[in-house]
């Protein structure tokens, strides 16, 4: 290949809204180094979240994707052509990704890298397969320091690991006070919200998020706290549960899916993010909005849970409905606890940014290409 012109291809099953600013930033950093970035992405499986956002970007190309059922599990195959021939090909570390096995066998690029968690966090039964794939890559891009530990424990060469510190764009939280106050007033009027005991849930609505637990906790909190309200933002397979609960209980407000800056007033006006189930990148929103997450100590959290410092920038309690309700009630009744966690969120927001993530990723690409 032409040594003055190098290409990097990243395979993404889907292109969710929160990845677009990251790829924009990464594309700019790589172009400055005469490296052309290409993201090949597809559509999500029908009825699943998050959803793909179709974009018209120089770095993006949409390809077809087929989903199959095998022994009760979903596997998928992307329609990849000659575009994957490159200096560096980066694929998601997914045992369900059929193309990955052919890529590792045929080596269509000078170097192959994997991007992911390094282990099976949600217990889908593919752990042994993912362990087998893990050591076949020339380089690894891990989400957090948790991934580094996992990879090293499984025998991967630590010299070939880049930790990116997974993040999302937080610039949307920089809003003018007058504009923010106006939007909050509109939201309260629209949903008939009284008082300040407002909490929020923002994310996908599916089983790992423990929606039944969230709804039960919310109803109990409404019985114990005056004017308690929870705003539920998102969509997904369990959405009907939220819609039914909202129809029958005035304390539950179903907002539906919101993206980008549309989410900001809902998050900032809330005193806490109630997320008893899986926590992932929502923790970055929590820090930026200064709205602490209150979650539980379940084992299926995404690696970003490592950013949480219990009692400093959020709260983690045992997975028990009584313990959870008590923790939220105590928090909402204590201005001191609220001020402490809000300050912790503010300090934590300075540590993680989309710019830093892109710089880390670009640096890893350069090291991989030059190694």
């Amino acid at each position: 290949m032409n040594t003055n012109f190098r290409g990097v291809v990243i395979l993404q099953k889907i292109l969710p809204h929160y990845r677009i600013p990251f790829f924009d930033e990464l594309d700019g950093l790589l172009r400055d180094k005469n490296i052309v970035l290409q993201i090949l992405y597809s559509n999500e499986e029908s009825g699943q979240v998050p959803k793909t956002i179709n974009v018209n970007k120089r770095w993006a190309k949409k390809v077809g994707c087929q989903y199959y059922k095998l022994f009760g599990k979903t596997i998928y195959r992307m329609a990849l052509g000659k575009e994957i021939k490159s200096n560096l090909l980066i694929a998601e570390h997914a045992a369900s990704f059929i193309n990955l096995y052919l890529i590792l066998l045929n080596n269509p690029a000078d170097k192959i890298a994997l991007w992911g968690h390094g282990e099976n966090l949600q217990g889908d039964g593919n752990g042994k397969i993912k362990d087998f794939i893990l050591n076949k890559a020339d380089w690894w891009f891990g989400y957090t320091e948790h991934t580094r530990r996992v990879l090293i424990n499984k025998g991967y060469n630590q010299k070939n690991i880049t930790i990116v510190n997974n993040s999302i764009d937080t610039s949307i939280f920089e809003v003018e006070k007058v504009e923010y106050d106006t939007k909050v007033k509109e939201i309260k009027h629209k949903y008939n919200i009284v008082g300040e005991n407002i909490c929020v849930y923002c994310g996908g609505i599916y089983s790992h998020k423990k929606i039944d637990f969230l709804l039960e906790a919310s109803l109990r909190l409404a019985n114990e706290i005056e004017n308690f309200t929870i705003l539920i933002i998102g969509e997904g397979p369990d959405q009907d549960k939220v819609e039914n609960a909202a129809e029958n209980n005035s304390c539950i407000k179903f907002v539906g899916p919101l993206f980008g800056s549309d989410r900001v007033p809902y998050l900032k006006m809330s005193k806490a993010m109630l997320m008893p189930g899986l926590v992932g990148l929502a923790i970055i929103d929590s820090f930026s909005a200064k709205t602490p997450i209150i979650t539980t100590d379940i084992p299926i959290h995404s690696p970003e849970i490592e950013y949480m410092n219990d009692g400093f920038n959020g709260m983690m309690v045992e997975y028990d409905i009584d313990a959870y309700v008590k923790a939220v009630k105590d928090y909402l009744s204590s201005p001191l606890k609220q001020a402490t966690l809000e300050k912790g969120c503010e300090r934590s927001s300075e540590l993680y940014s989309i710019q830093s993530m892109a710089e880390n990723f670009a640096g890893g690409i350069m090291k991989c290409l030059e190694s």
Side-chain angles (χ1 to χ4, degrees), residues 10-26:
I10 300 179
L11 305 180
Q12 289 272 125
K13 179 176 66 174
I14 58 172
L15 181 61
H17 64 92
Y18 57 80
R19 280 286 177 242
I20 296 171
F22 163 68
F23 286 131
D24 276 335
E25 192 78 20
L26 181 62

Side-chain angles (χ1 to χ4, degrees), residues 281-309:
L281 279 170
I283 200 166
I284 302 295
D285 281 341
S286 164
F287 295 159
S288 300
K290 293 191 288 187
T291 307
I293 284 179
I294 303 179
T295 188
T296 65
D297 60 352
I298 55 176
I300 62 171
H301 289 300
S302 293
E304 294 80 16
I305 195 66
E306 190 165 291
Y307 304 159
M308 177 179 283
N309 184 342

